[in-house]
Amino acid sequence: MNLFTIATKPRHPAFAVTLVAAATLAACGGDKSSGANAPAQGTTVNVTMMETTDLHQNILGYDYYKLAEDKSVGIERTSALIRQVRAANANTMLFDAGDIIQGTVLGDYQALVNKVPCTDKLAIFKAMDAIGYDAGTIGNHEFNYGLKYLAQVTGRQFNTPNLDPVASQPKCQGPAYPQVLANVVSTTDAKPIFDPYVIVTKTFSATTPDGKTVQVPVKVGVIGFTPPLIMAWDKGNLDGNVTTTGLKETAEKYIPEMKAKGADVIVAVAHGGPDNAAYSATMENGALYLAQVPGVDVLMMGHQHQVFPNAASTVAAFNIDGVDKKAGTVAGVPAVMANFWGKNLGVVNLKLTYGSTGWVVDKTATTTATMSTQNADKSYVAADPAIAPLVQTEHAGTIAYVKTPIGSSDFRMTTYFADVGDTTAIQIVNQAQAQYVKDYVAANLPQYKSLPVLSVSAPFKSGFGGATDYTDVASGDLAIFNAADLYLYANTIQAVLVTGADVKAWLEKAATRFNQIDPTKTAAQSLVSTFPGYNFDVLDGDGSIRYEIDVTQPQGSRIRNLTVNGNAVDPAAQFIVATNNYRASGGGGFPGLDGSKTIYRSPDANRDVLIAYVKKAATLAKATNGSDRSWHFTRVATAGPVQFSSAPGLAALAASDGVPGVTQVLADDGAGLGLARYQIDLSVQ
Amino acid sequence: MKRAIAGVALAATLAAAAAAARPFWVAPDAAQAQSWLREAADRRDAGAEASLARWSARGNAPARHAYAMLLSHRGDAVSSQRLAQVLADGADAGDAADATRLAELLAQPSRPGASREDARVARLLAQGHAGHVPAAARLLALRALDPARGTPDPARAAAWMAEAASGGDAPAMFLLANMLRAGQGAPRDDAKALVLYQAAADADYAPAIQALAIAWRYGELGLQADAAQSRLMDHEAAEALAHAAL
């Protein structure tokens, strides 16, 4: 096993001198408390141990789908917090608890699109090395791109069956800090694929009992763990190549070894948090049991994407016996979890006292906390200016990638008038979903091959945030980021088997989007209710479906003339409807949709299915992809105006998209969101 | 539990050791042993699968549960048929959880002849409910809401759903939250709905996380609209969905 002890790279000239002393002491060995260079008994050290976790390739505060700044995320701001801590205390260490290389478009770009070369360091590791980490572990998402890629970007060579012999593997650029992982072992040699632990010798400023400041070496042993469930989550990448071991027994094996090699303090860095389920060697979050292993002095946690300590937390994992969410301890061990995406920094202020057995953690003087990149006034700390230049090339490359055309269209896709029948931004989603499900049914569910496959989708962006909060994709090239505008949510495709009666009930629920209109009223009436636009499901069947919404009727009695291929829908007839997992599981409270009618749960995201459909189609035309008006309002003459709000100055767009009788009556509807007031003539629908 | 799996492990060792990648009989606990054995069987390790099937047929509950999970994971028609038999064996042996899972399996719309087995489903759910299986209460709630079975009874459904939710059933938490938002079967209670969504989200139940993402985006359920928090929930949902797909 390639265990090793390192001295940290000096960040300041002064450290170089003290490291020599540290090396000398380490070589002496023997009784820790009485060696020639041993500190006086009673000497104390205050050290601040910091943690980041679940960074998920969030380096800059930027949203690659929106192509806009997002100050709430990114290690460039966490770095500013780290600088603050280092300015306040010369004795610090920094650890990372994993899930580093995957999670943003940048991560996919470097792994799958424009693969980072062996000679280059992954962007996030460039940033982390600039910040300066002492050690870190490996999260479950590190395995998402396969072992070969993981070996490359971490600068490792794995002795696993799926890779070339170690001697033939290149030694690529990895992070400068040691990455440790004790509970993933190769099936080839039964040894951990990463070093299970590292012992880092730090030189800290200490205070002797008589008040003098001295420099002392402290050996900090760091051991890392990942959730054993990686064997299920990344089965395709890992099965037959590695196995996992349980946190508890792995720690029990290595910690005595670390102690024997001279570790004064043991820091367990676990990509996982606490869980009060009975211990299992395959449990996802085994931190509670890990903390109970003798010798663990500090616990750095992750994976659960939470803040710990947090006295106000309602998270179940932090409200169990053995976890003190206020004091920040797990099984009495000081512990932190630093949220995710670089939003927070975990901080453990540790007091060490030198005694007859060496350095001992004074738990009564130890505190834990997290710092946030967001200030009390909701502003954010300034980004560390040193980070952005390091990843400028990767950042620009990712932006160029999301702007890369995946197809083109000859029409503008918008939701400005989706409430009154415009389907230019919805039809293409329905087409992609329906085709995907049809293909699946044909291949896998032959008993349903004769059933019509319909699809529903909704105008996810319908003006909640103002005039810019609508889907608006210009004609011309379509890029990946446009797909996020067309399909906002991280849903996956599902297909449900429903009856004609169910379909009608579904549409009735969607039609509660509208207020009941009294045609005799002369005063203006507002068309759109408080029922959210994201639940206004529009049913489409590529020209086969037609229905009317009669807004003069009460809720539940508005769907009229529902036909498929010109025939009235039989309430008992069966249909397959392509939708998303949220709706199929009961999201939105649609009648009869509760998870029990699902016949296909796809692992694929609706957005990805849309991208694949556009790529295959290459060219989208309004005639075939954006003009099928599956529904319209039932014609009725109203004595007064029927009004709704949308972005200003777009009445002509409604007309060109096939929605007649729309006129703008007020450039500002007065709601303070920059929306205009329109009216629609229901007698010409 | 450990004693039971020891029996499985010892007997299965001879049959499966040659083909299994890992010596599961030295696993540190029953869960790990079952996991390794299932992994071996899932890799079409005939010896391991035969061991699971044999011990399942002999009434060994841990082996039956592991075998059922394996068959459920495969999902093909033959496995599905075998799964129904394995669960029926469990139900006959008085295993309320197996009875509930069988009821859910038989009621699946994709299963041919599902409607013909309605009476059997009802009996199995009664067995599951008597055995305090939370999912059984959820399935009973859904039946109470099904207009195909007569006039829906939302109040009764809400009571059953609450029972399932308090038993830790995440889908029930989510569905009950939906009912409370709509005032269906119980007075509207957004605050309680939010707590239920959060509890289901803690259990990694993706639809609940998605509901929270929407609630943060639009400022629903008493939350103050927060686009960043919504995006974070979206990320969480994507991760939960990826896990669920496995």
Side-chain angles (χ1 to χ4, degrees):
Chain A
M1 213 164 288
N2 184 26
L3 302 178
F4 61 102
T5 300
I6 67 164
T8 49
K9 191 186 297 181
R11 291 192 194 89
H12 309 289
F15 272 15
V17 177
T18 56
L19 281 172
V20 173
T24 305
L25 180 71
C28 291
D31 183 352
K32 284 180 178 180
S33 63
S34 57
N37 294 323
Q41 291 204 11
T43 298
T44 60
V45 168
N46 291 306
V47 55
T48 301
M49 293 187 169
M50 296 174 280
E51 183 218 40
T52 59
T53 187
D54 296 88
L55 293 171
H56 286 281
Q57 276 271 25
N58 282 278
I59 306 169
L60 306 181
Y62 194 80
D63 184 335
Y64 291 99
Y65 276 126
K66 289 184 178 170
L67 295 174
E69 184 180 48
D70 180 356
K71 292 180 178 178
S72 69
V73 301
I75 197 174
E76 64 173 343
R77 284 187 170 73
T78 333
S79 179
L81 300 180
I82 293 165
R83 285 180 184 273
Q84 285 178 29
V85 171
R86 285 174 173 162
N89 185 358
N91 301 334
T92 66
M93 295 185 80
L94 177 60
F95 305 95
D96 182 82
D99 273 8
I100 304 164
I101 70 174
Q102 175 275 352
T104 60
V105 185
L106 172 57
D108 287 343
Y109 172 74
Q110 288 208 284
L112 306 171
V113 181
N114 186 14
K115 191 177 170 187
V116 58
C118 176
T119 52
D120 201 1
K121 195 181 288 186
L122 201 67
I124 184 101
F125 289 140
K126 288 181 182 175
M128 293 173 80
D129 282 348
I131 292 166
Y133 279 72
D134 290 283
T137 194
I138 299 294
N140 54 294
H141 281 290
E142 263 69 80
F143 297 92
N144 288 168
Y145 301 122
L147 286 169
K148 188 174 183 183
Y149 182 74
L150 180 58
Q152 178 196 319
V153 300
T154 56
R156 306 287 305 183
Q157 292 145 316
F158 295 152
N159 186 19
T160 54
N162 64 323
L163 300 183
D164 292 336
V166 168
S168 309
Q169 292 178 36
K171 184 85 171 76
C172 300
Q173 279 282 325
Y177 70 88
Q179 293 184 303
V180 291
L181 180 62
N183 69 322
V184 177
V185 300
S186 165
T187 58
T188 299
D189 58 12
K191 292 178 180 174
I193 60 171
F194 284 85
D195 300 301
Y197 61 83
V198 63
I199 298 173
V200 181
T201 302
K202 297 288 288 188
T203 300
F204 292 136
S205 285
T207 304
T208 61
D210 56 359
K212 288 180 187 166
T213 299
V214 296
Q215 301 296 308
V216 296
V218 177
K219 289 186 173 184
V220 180
V222 188
I223 184 168
F225 302 90
T226 205
L229 283 180
I230 57 169
M231 295 308 301
W233 295 334
D234 269 304
K235 187 182 177 70
N237 292 325
L238 304 181
D239 201 19
N241 297 310
V242 296
T243 59
T244 57
T245 56
L247 272 61
K248 181 171 169 285
E249 50 272 23
T250 306
E252 287 169 345
K253 172 183 175 184
Y254 285 117
I255 288 176
E257 194 175 302
M258 296 162 76
K259 287 283 192 187
K261 287 177 184 289
D264 297 304
V265 177
I266 301 290
V267 178
V269 187
H271 189 73
D275 183 344
N276 66 348
Y279 178 74
S280 154
T282 54
M283 72 189 302
E284 180 177 358
N285 290 290
L288 177 61
Y289 301 98
L290 173 62
Q292 292 168 8
V293 175
V296 175
D297 294 307
V298 177
L299 180 62
M300 302 287 184
M301 305 184 291
H303 184 59
Q304 290 173 319
H305 292 191
Q306 300 291 342
V307 172
F308 185 87
N310 177 4
S313 176
T314 58
V315 173
F318 299 158
N319 289 280
I320 59 178
D321 286 346
V323 175
D324 188 333
K325 64 183 180 182
K326 186 178 176 188
T329 60
V330 174
V333 172
V336 287
M337 189 184 294
N339 215 1
F340 61 115
W341 296 1
K343 289 168 65 70
N344 290 72
L345 179 72
V347 177
V348 177
N349 293 304
L350 207 61
K351 183 177 181 182
L352 304 175
T353 304
Y354 199 77
S356 58
T357 58
W359 291 106
V360 175
V361 174
D362 180 353
K363 287 187 178 174
T364 62
T366 293
T367 61
T368 66
T370 61
M371 299 167 68
S372 173
T373 57
Q374 188 171 34
N375 300 312
D377 64 359
K378 300 288 182 185
S379 65
Y380 290 90
V381 299
D384 179 347
I387 303 301
L390 300 172
V391 297
Q392 195 174 14
T393 304
E394 295 89 340
H395 178 60
T398 306
I399 290 173
Y401 162 63
V402 297
K403 288 182 173 177
T404 303
I406 56 171
S408 66
S409 81
D410 69 0
F411 64 103
R412 184 178 175 185
M413 304 173 184
T414 78
T415 56
Y416 296 115
F417 297 101
D419 280 334
V420 290
D422 183 353
T423 59
T424 50
I426 302 171
Q427 186 183 349
I428 184 65
V429 174
N430 276 325
Q431 286 176 319
Q433 292 180 172
Q435 190 59 54
Y436 180 89
V437 169
K438 277 178 191 168
D439 291 346
Y440 181 84
V441 169
N444 301 286
L445 297 171
Q447 67 269 38
Y448 298 130
K449 66 182 178 187
S450 62
L451 295 183
V453 176
L454 311 175
S455 177
V456 295
S457 191
F460 296 120
K461 295 166 76 176
S462 51
F464 173 80
T468 59
D469 192 14
Y470 289 90
T471 297
D472 188 351
V473 179
S475 63
D477 285 341
L478 291 172
I480 287 172
F481 79 95
N482 294 137
D485 200 13
L486 288 165
Y487 204 99
L488 190 63
Y489 295 106
N491 298 329
T492 51
I493 284 213
Q494 293 198 355
V496 293
L497 180 64
V498 293
T499 64
D502 292 331
V503 170
K504 182 171 183 296
W506 192 330
L507 296 176
E508 289 286 2
K509 175 76 175 183
T512 56
R513 172 73 173 163
F514 304 111
N515 292 317
Q516 186 173 3
I517 300 299
D518 181 349
T520 65
K521 262 191 184 174
T522 54
Q525 295 179 76
S526 191
L527 177 65
V528 177
S529 72
T530 56
F531 185 80
Y534 59 77
N535 278 339
F536 180 45
D537 280 358
V538 173
L539 184 72
D540 203 349
D542 245 359
S544 64
I545 279 282
R546 292 288 179 267
Y547 59 101
E548 295 176 17
I549 298 175
D550 186 348
V551 290
T552 66
Q553 298 302 308
Q555 291 180 1
S557 307
R558 293 174 170 176
I559 302 302
R560 299 179 57 179
N561 299 323
L562 175 59
T563 63
V564 175
N565 293 320
N567 302 313
V569 168
D570 177 354
Q574 286 191 309
F575 298 90
I576 294 171
V577 180
T579 179
N580 60 59
N581 75 293
Y582 177 72
R583 183 71 77 242
S585 302
F590 282 63
L593 293 177
D594 49 34
S596 66
K597 292 184 168 61
T598 303
I599 58 168
Y600 177 44
R601 291 179 173 82
S602 166
D604 293 326
N606 298 61
R607 188 188 295 160
D608 292 338
V609 167
L610 172 63
I611 290 171
Y613 186 85
V614 172
K615 277 183 176 174
K616 189 175 179 187
T619 305
L620 306 181
K622 188 167 186 176
T624 51
N625 306 108
S627 60
D628 181 26
R629 289 206 54 196
S630 57
W631 74 274
H632 61 84
F633 290 117
T634 299
R635 283 188 177 180
V636 59
T638 57
V642 175
Q643 299 182 339
F644 65 97
S645 294
S646 187
L650 294 171
L653 180 68
S656 69
D657 283 347
V659 184
V662 173
T663 52
Q664 181 175 308
V665 291
L666 284 170
D668 186 342
D669 69 358
L673 292 170
L675 297 174
R677 198 67 174 159
Y678 291 84
Q679 68 183 43
I680 181 168
D681 182 353
L682 294 177
S683 70
V684 298
Q685 299 303 305
Chain B
M1 190 69 162
K2 281 199 169 183
R3 201 176 313 139
I5 199 65
V8 177
L10 285 171
T13 297
L14 292 176
R22 274 172 294 180
F24 53 84
W25 56 92
V26 299
D29 59 27
Q32 181 74 77
Q34 282 180 35
S35 169
W36 288 355
L37 196 55
R38 196 173 60 246
E39 280 172 24
D42 202 22
R43 285 197 299 272
R44 303 286 173 177
D45 175 339
E49 182 167 347
S51 296
L52 279 178
R54 188 163 54 250
W55 284 92
S56 172
R58 290 179 188 177
N60 184 286
R64 188 175 63 246
H65 295 159
Y67 190 40
M69 199 178 292
L70 168 71
L71 294 169
S72 173
H73 181 64
R74 286 196 184 141
D76 59 86
V78 173
S79 298
S80 178
Q81 207 168 3
R82 197 170 297 166
L83 174 63
Q85 186 54 54
V86 169
L87 293 175
D89 290 345
D92 289 346
D95 189 321
D98 281 355
T100 304
R101 275 184 289 177
L102 179 58
E104 197 162 21
L105 179 71
L106 295 177
Q108 279 178 358
S110 57
R111 189 178 170 79
S115 58
R116 289 197 302 273
E117 306 207 65
D118 193 62
R120 188 181 176 200
V121 169
R123 283 197 303 276
L124 289 163
L125 287 180
Q127 182 184 349
H129 189 239
H132 307 291
V133 178
R138 166 171 46 87
L139 296 170
L140 287 166
L142 296 181
R143 288 168 74 88
L145 288 171
D146 185 355
R149 291 170 202 290
T151 306
D153 187 345
R156 196 169 186 211
W160 259 323
M161 208 64 92
E163 182 185 325
S166 62
D169 186 77
M173 295 173 198
F174 172 70
L175 292 168
L176 180 60
N178 292 342
M179 294 177 77
L180 290 170
R181 291 180 81 166
Q184 186 186 16
R188 180 176 168 156
D189 190 338
D190 279 2
K192 197 170 176 185
L194 179 61
V195 169
L196 284 164
Y197 283 138
Q198 286 169 331
D202 284 349
D204 219 23
Y205 188 61
I209 305 172
Q210 291 169 316
L212 291 173
I214 294 169
W216 279 110
R217 178 174 168 82
Y218 295 105
E220 299 168 346
L221 302 171
L223 297 172
Q224 192 174 354
D226 185 332
Q229 193 64 30
S230 176
R231 196 162 73 84
L232 303 183
M233 289 294 108
D234 249 352
H235 174 86
E236 297 278 288
E239 192 166 324
L241 284 165
H243 291 174
L246 295 161

